[in-house]
Amino acid sequence: MEPTTFVLFGATGDLAKRKIYPALFNLFVDNKLPESFSLIGLGRRELSDEAFQANVEQSIHTFSRRKTNNPDLLKNFLRTFRYSVLDIDRKEDYQKLLKLIEQREEELRIVPNRMFYLSVGPEYFEKIAANIKESGLGTADGWKRLVIEKPFGHDLQSARDLNEQLSKAFAENEIYRIDHYLGKPMVQKLEVIQQSNPVLHAIWANNYIANVQITANETVGVEERAGYYDHVGAVRDMFQNHMLQLLMMLTMHLPNVSNSELVRFKKKKVMENLEPLLKQDVGANVIRGQYKEGSIGGKQVVGYTSEPGIASTSMNDTFIAAKLQIDDFFWRGVPIYIRTGKRMHEKSTRIVIEFKEPNTNLTQHHDESQVPNLLVFEISPNESITLQLNSKDPSKNGKYKPIQIDFHESQEDVPEAYENLIYDALQGDPTFFAHWDEVELAWAWVQPILDAFQENLVPLHHYAAGTNGPAESDALLAANGHHWWFDSKIEQVNQSSEEKYFAHHTN
Ligand SMILES: NC(=O)C1=CN([C@@H]2O[C@H](COP(=O)(O)OP(=O)(O)OC[C@H]3O[C@@H](n4cnc5c(N)ncnc54)[C@H](OP(=O)(O)O)[C@@H]3O)[C@@H](O)[C@H]2O)C=CC1
Ligand SMILES: O=C1O[C@H](COP(=O)(O)O)[C@@H](O)[C@H](O)[C@H]1O
């Protein structure tokens, strides 16, 4: 890997502590950091290099998936970490930073390849990018890259404005937009699983698939982020980015051999072919929800509007479910249901593909014991792929018996999303980052929903914390004769197969 200087804005912040340092440490242990590597941490508060290194060490002890008592290993890892005070608004601080970087590049004999990681609020992105350009930090002989975290804008217009500003300092191929769902190991496998298994490739289309369900449920509420979350809601926080990225990764059709360019092209195609939603049609296709008080895992929790920092009159969405259609050769006519919510019954991110019933001969008696074939991708908290098939159960008088073929990834030693993404960014591989085209198309698709919510054209349905969301989300699927798979307790249909599934997945 090429020599790199990792310039971390927001080095004293929460994201750096919880995700970035542990990811870098794990990469170091796996020999996946460049041999010549220098890290410069930046923040407003005064810290010596030693105090900074001690803070990083603490974060590794607390948050890394790999625990270590090996002081030499840690010392070795931290030896190239330096800290410098920088106020984002002060131009002279960038000059000081340039000097420090150059000095370190010389000491460590590092080619001036610089990766600027902005682990700061999005309101600072434009200012930092402009100052990097103006100060000369980005005009050395090596490469430069900018890594930014979502949110990339608040709506279509602000996203365009942000992008225009960033592109004055960095070319598109130098910008790495992190969507951490793209770093999840199972999401990274979706492409390969579909592409390199002819048996799946052949049935990845509307003549075999009845519907697709993409769920990202969380049990947590708004946590300590009231100020942020009450302005964004589930639609901006999860749907516009993570959920649409999952949709793109699942539905793009790749040939056997592909590369990052092709992945981007195919993802863009998915978004271009997504049937647009008009503002007046949002109500028929999108369910807006907000949690009220309830119980999760036996613990009583307050409703959204009683959370600290949330106004009692807030109409913010903490749940969204939507029905989408991709108007292309492969997916035309297949409803794609997406939902995400806070304070749901369980934490689970999964994709379910429900296949069409094989017996289309209506004169033939339909056996109620037969279940649809399902292909289930569990993305988190555990990873697995399950294929549900029908078999015969001799003890049931020859009735059908659902069986599951399971593949479970051992959860030990699975790299975290940030490890995968930082590694890719260091290598200059953009495959699992959000390209501007996708981001813009995603905002454009979501904009009528934002407008409809803003103008209160869509009812806000309340759901008790600890449930599967508002009843209207079930009705959205029931209108097409479908239902959400694997929703706990409330399922009546095919319960035995789901019980089996649960029994297996909770072991
Ligand atoms: N925390 C998380 O889990 C996640 C965060 N994100 C995103 O990552 C970004 C950072 O979040 P997070 O770490 O939680 O934020 P924090 O508030 O914890 O940290 C902010 C960091 O920015 C620095 N900072 C703030 N203002 C200035 C300034 N004017 N000049 C220089 N440095 C400044 C702070 O330095 P100092 O304290 O020294 O002033 C601190 O290091 C945000 O965009 C957030 O949306 C995305 C996904 C998850
Ligand atoms: O980006 C975000 O994601 C988390 C959920 O991430 P996960 O990896 O735990 O599924 C969500 O809680 C947060 O609100 C959102 O900003």
Side-chain angles (χ1 to χ4, degrees):
M1 205 181 289
E2 292 175 289
T4 306
T5 299
F6 192 108
V7 186
L8 181 58
F9 292 79
T12 53
D14 181 68
L15 180 70
K17 187 172 65 184
R18 289 197 305 118
K19 299 289 183 189
I20 300 173
Y21 301 135
L24 286 170
F25 177 69
N26 287 321
L27 290 174
F28 173 77
V29 173
D30 290 340
N31 281 323
K32 284 163 109 181
L33 282 187
E35 231 166 82
S36 304
F37 182 75
S38 152
L39 184 141
I40 315 267
L42 304 165
R44 277 174 304 190
R45 68 194 78 169
E46 296 278 348
L47 282 180
S48 65
D49 289 338
E50 292 71 29
F52 174 54
Q53 290 175 1
N55 290 349
V56 176
E57 181 173 341
Q58 190 52 49
S59 95
I60 287 157
H61 289 311
T62 316
F63 297 107
S64 172
R65 69 183 166 87
R66 284 212 180 93
K67 302 295 166 208
T68 180
N69 294 319
N70 181 342
D72 289 340
L73 185 71
L74 279 164
K75 210 169 133 198
N76 217 359
F77 169 63
L78 293 168
R79 120 193 104 82
T80 57
F81 281 50
R82 298 290 181 275
Y83 181 82
S84 184
V85 172
L86 176 140
D87 188 313
I88 289 164
D89 293 314
R90 283 182 29 175
K91 294 194 187 306
E92 55 271 36
D93 286 356
Y94 292 81
Q95 290 305 328
K96 192 176 74 174
L97 173 62
L98 178 59
K99 286 209 181 81
L100 176 61
I101 292 177
E102 286 174 344
Q103 178 201 327
R104 295 293 292 153
E105 282 169 348
E106 211 175 302
E107 280 167 16
L108 299 167
R109 301 197 181 173
I110 293 184
V111 186
N113 297 323
R114 296 169 188 165
M115 190 159 111
F116 301 97
Y117 195 125
L118 311 196
S119 180
V120 294
E123 65 277 18
Y124 295 121
F125 291 175
E126 296 171 25
K127 176 64 74 60
I128 295 175
N131 280 332
I132 287 172
K133 182 173 183 196
E134 208 182 302
S135 61
L137 275 160
T139 47
D141 263 353
W143 51 251
K144 65 176 187 303
R145 290 177 195 143
L146 182 75
V147 181
I148 51 173
E149 291 278 343
K150 69 149 229 218
F152 314 122
H154 190 70
D155 55 15
L156 180 58
Q157 192 51 54
S158 60
R160 284 181 174 155
D161 293 344
L162 169 66
N163 199 58
E164 197 185 319
Q165 293 308 317
L166 292 183
S167 54
K168 288 180 183 165
F170 291 86
E172 175 60 27
N173 65 4
E174 294 174 325
I175 303 178
Y176 290 72
R177 295 178 195 82
I178 288 198
D179 181 308
H180 79 275
Y181 271 51
L182 289 178
K184 291 184 187 265
M186 181 57 81
V187 177
Q188 299 205 333
K189 280 178 211 144
L190 285 175
E191 167 201 352
V192 175
I193 286 168
Q194 182 226 125
Q195 195 185 10
S196 51
N197 293 296
V199 67
L200 292 184
H201 203 78
I203 55 171
W204 220 250
N206 50 11
N207 36 351
Y208 297 105
I209 294 178
N211 70 82
V212 173
Q213 305 179 8
I214 306 177
T215 296
N217 286 343
E218 297 184 84
T219 51
V220 294
V222 65
E223 298 179 288
E224 280 86 44
R225 301 195 300 158
Y228 155 79
Y229 193 80
D230 206 37
H231 289 105
V232 297
V235 61
R236 290 181 174 93
D237 187 46
M238 295 287 291
F239 190 93
Q240 184 275 339
N241 38 76
H242 305 321
M243 306 310 285
L244 290 180
Q245 284 292 345
L246 290 181
L247 169 80
M248 289 179 241
M249 293 304 290
L250 183 84
T251 58
M252 64 177 169
H253 263 262
L254 287 171
N256 218 322
V257 180
S258 81
N259 54 33
S260 65
E261 283 294 302
L262 197 60
V263 168
R264 287 186 157 186
F265 175 75
K266 293 284 184 180
K267 284 171 75 183
K268 186 178 167 201
K269 275 267 157 271
V270 170
M271 289 310 296
E272 284 171 346
N273 290 330
L274 208 52
E275 278 184 11
L277 207 52
L278 299 175
K279 191 166 73 175
Q280 59 271 26
D281 297 333
V282 171
N285 294 283
V286 176
I287 307 300
R288 170 164 74 145
Q290 187 187 85
Y291 65 83
K292 51 189 177 94
E293 69 278 6
S295 151
I296 300 185
K299 235 182 96 191
Q300 206 59 27
V301 296
V302 299
Y304 180 69
T305 52
S306 302
E307 296 275 16
I310 304 291
S312 60
T313 51
S314 173
M315 296 281 284
N316 191 32
D317 49 298
T318 63
F319 174 96
I320 178 170
K323 186 175 89 178
L324 297 81
Q325 298 267 354
I326 299 172
D327 188 19
D328 73 5
F329 174 78
F330 296 107
W331 295 101
R332 192 165 298 126
V334 180
I336 297 175
Y337 305 110
I338 297 184
R339 69 175 164 173
T340 179
K342 292 214 183 272
R343 286 289 190 225
M344 304 289 281
H345 173 76
E346 61 170 355
K347 166 84 182 160
S348 87
T349 305
R350 74 164 67 95
I351 296 172
V352 180
I353 297 178
E354 179 179 334
F355 291 92
K356 288 182 175 168
E357 299 281 341
N359 292 333
T360 47
N361 181 354
L362 294 176
T363 57
Q364 204 174 340
H365 174 66
H366 178 74
D367 188 329
E368 287 297 318
S369 68
Q370 190 172 357
V371 296
N373 288 159
L374 301 176
L375 182 60
V376 186
F377 296 97
E378 287 287 341
I379 295 167
S380 76
N382 297 311
E383 272 201 6
S384 67
I385 303 171
T386 305
L387 178 63
Q388 175 169 274
L389 303 172
N390 284 293
S391 178
K392 282 280 178 191
D393 183 356
S395 68
K396 280 191 173 174
N397 299 327
K399 291 228 170 266
Y400 287 100
K401 173 189 170 188
I403 56 165
Q404 282 91 24
I405 300 175
D406 275 325
F407 159 74
H408 282 250
E409 192 78 88
S410 152
Q411 291 307 295
E412 276 168 38
D413 246 25
V414 174
E416 274 228 37
Y418 276 83
E419 281 171 60
N420 288 331
L421 294 172
I422 291 174
Y423 179 66
D424 286 351
L426 286 167
Q427 295 214 94
D429 179 352
T431 311
F432 294 109
F433 294 86
H435 190 277
W436 165 244
D437 292 342
E438 296 152 23
V439 174
E440 184 180 34
L441 286 161
W443 276 119
W445 195 86
V446 155
Q447 189 62 49
I449 304 180
L450 302 181
D451 296 340
F453 282 11
Q454 172 75 24
E455 294 167 37
N456 268 324
L457 302 179
V458 180
L460 180 69
H461 301 289
H462 288 94
Y463 59 98
T467 64
N468 299 311
E472 288 74 9
S473 139
D474 299 327
L476 183 71
L477 277 67
N480 290 332
H482 300 141
H483 69 280
W484 293 108
W485 285 97
F486 309 118
D487 272 359
S488 46
K489 287 185 296 202
I490 56 169
E491 289 295 340
Q492 300 303 320
V493 188
N494 303 322
Q495 197 166 13
S496 63
S497 73
E498 296 188 72
E499 274 170 357
K500 245 175 172 316
Y501 181 86
F502 275 123
H504 194 90
H505 283 80
T506 47
N507 278 340

